[in-house]
Structure formats: C-alpha cells, structure tokens
Amino acid sequence: MRYSVIIVAAGSGTRMHLGYNKVYCRMEGKTILEHTMRLFLDDEECREMIIVTNSAQYIKEIDLFEDRIVLVQGGSSRQESVANGLYAVKEEIVMVHDGARPYLSGKELSALKQAMKTEQAACLAVAVKDTIKQIRGDYILHTPLRETLVAAQTPQAFKTELLFSCMQKAIESGYTGTDDCSLVERFSDARIRLVKGSYANRKITTPEDLF
C-alpha cells in the first residue's frame, strides 16, 4: 500500500528546556527526528516523507535525506503545520506522525496499513490505565467508564482527500482540534478504525521521557 507520511517537527521544545526544537536533541548518537524517520525510510511503501519544520538550520545535521523527503515550513500551531504538509501530499493515503514519537514499531505500522486497505481513517490507540475524571474548575463532575476510553497515538492514517476536506472546513470555521482524527470526527461521517497501539510508542515531551 503506497502512502505519504507527514512528520510534524515544528515545535519549540519549551517543556524540554532545551532552547531549541526537541526533535533535534540527540539520543544514542542520532537526533530524535532521525530515529522517528528511520522506520518510514526502511518501508518501500512509504513513497513520500514530508518533514514539517521551523528549524531548517538543524536539518543540515541530518544525513538521511533522499528523493522521497520533502521539507515544508511549519505553522504557528500543530494543526496549521499539518495543513501546510497536506499541500505537498501526492499519495492517496496519508499518515500524520509526531516527530517526537520515535518508538513506533513495524508491527503497529503494519497494522495501521492493513486497516487502511478497507477504511477511510484509522488511529493507533492504547487502553487508558488510569481512572479519568471529568472536571469543571476545581471540582469533579463525572467519572467516565474506563472501558470506553483510549489514549490516541500517532501515526493516524487517512484517505488524503478526506483529511484535506476536513482540514479546509476546520480552517474556514476557525475550529482547532486536539489531533487530526478530531477533524474527521467533526467534519465528516467517516468512521475511524481503532488500531491497537503500544505503550512503548510514547511521545517525548519532557526530559524524563528520554529515559
């Protein structure tokens, strides 16, 4: 299954206290972004990798570039960065992945691709371990059933035309979603297939996540 992947790498890394984008932090001799890219570079079905970044100076340090890789300027928000990346997509299927999520395995990627053979959208997710509380201010309102909750991960995969249409509607209405699936949920009737993820596929957000 041919696909494009948008790797969102335009953050500022504020919570990492680095003074620069965290995806260019080195881990085991390579940048986090390099680790994130490697799985897709090794997959022949990934025909296009779109790196959305505001840190072009750090890109020069990466020695992985080839014809499949396209650089796109990041936006002022994650959603705007994904929108910028979508304009460069050439394949009928697109995945959107966090640049700071380098622990994705081939097993999860294969499961996501398998789902997209029959679905319009699919999302990696894991069961929620903690009890979640709905709150208002400083008070608890409700405890939803944990069995009905999952924690969404990336990559999230879509028919390119579907995500592009939903993104345009979100921009026109001034809506900002918390992830890409939320746009499809709000602006289409497409069902999103749940694909079992892994707790190891964590996003690096704070210094503690490196260990």
Side-chain angles (χ1 to χ4, degrees):
M1 185 199 76
R2 295 167 59 113
Y3 68 95
S4 297
V5 61
I6 297 171
I7 296 183
V8 187
S12 60
T14 303
R15 284 176 287 181
M16 286 288 287
H17 309 295
L18 292 173
Y20 60 89
N21 191 330
K22 62 192 171 189
V23 299
Y24 302 108
C25 175
R26 291 198 171 270
M27 183 176 66
E28 299 177 359
K30 297 182 182 297
T31 65
I32 292 171
L33 180 57
E34 285 176 280
H35 287 288
T36 301
M37 293 167 64
R38 187 74 270 170
L39 184 63
F40 296 102
L41 287 171
D42 289 341
D43 183 4
E44 293 182 357
E45 293 183 319
C46 179
R47 299 305 178 92
E48 180 187 38
M49 185 181 302
I50 300 160
I51 310 295
V52 187
T53 180
N54 288 326
S55 305
Q57 67 270 28
Y58 294 106
I59 285 286
K60 297 175 183 177
E61 299 179 16
I62 295 178
D63 191 29
L64 290 177
F65 285 103
E66 54 178 73
D67 292 342
R68 284 186 292 169
I69 297 175
V70 178
L71 294 182
V72 172
Q73 181 68 30
S76 58
S77 66
R78 184 188 186 281
Q79 185 168 302
E80 187 176 324
S81 291
V82 174
N84 291 351
L86 275 172
Y87 284 108
V89 172
K90 297 178 181 178
E91 299 296 329
E92 293 182 1
I93 301 293
V94 62
M95 296 187 188
V96 183
H97 190 46
D98 299 322
R101 202 180 286 269
Y103 300 112
L104 176 69
S105 76
K107 179 181 178 181
E108 281 82 50
L109 179 59
S110 294
L112 197 61
K113 291 194 293 182
Q114 184 65 32
M116 286 306 295
K117 290 181 178 180
T118 57
E119 306 291 343
Q120 296 187 70
C123 178
L124 281 181
V126 292
V128 172
K129 295 181 178 180
D130 297 324
T131 296
I132 304 299
K133 302 291 186 180
Q134 182 182 353
I135 65 170
R136 180 178 296 155
D138 294 329
Y139 293 90
I140 292 172
L141 293 180
H142 174 64
T143 304
L145 289 173
R146 187 164 54 191
E147 293 78 9
T148 67
L149 301 173
V150 295
Q153 299 181 332
T154 69
Q156 296 176 3
F158 310 89
K159 295 286 188 180
T160 302
E161 184 178 356
L162 172 65
L163 183 57
F164 188 84
S165 172
C166 293
M167 181 66 75
Q168 291 302 110
K169 291 175 182 176
I171 293 170
E172 291 167 5
S173 65
Y175 174 79
T176 300
T178 53
D179 68 353
D180 306 295
C181 281
S182 64
L183 306 186
V184 174
E185 294 162 26
R186 188 177 182 93
F187 296 106
S188 83
D189 295 324
R191 297 198 303 172
I192 303 171
R193 177 69 177 270
L194 185 68
V195 177
K196 185 178 180 180
S198 166
Y199 294 106
N201 181 27
R202 67 186 188 275
K203 184 178 180 182
I204 295 176
T205 304
T206 64
E208 290 77 18
D209 296 327
L210 291 171
F211 305 100

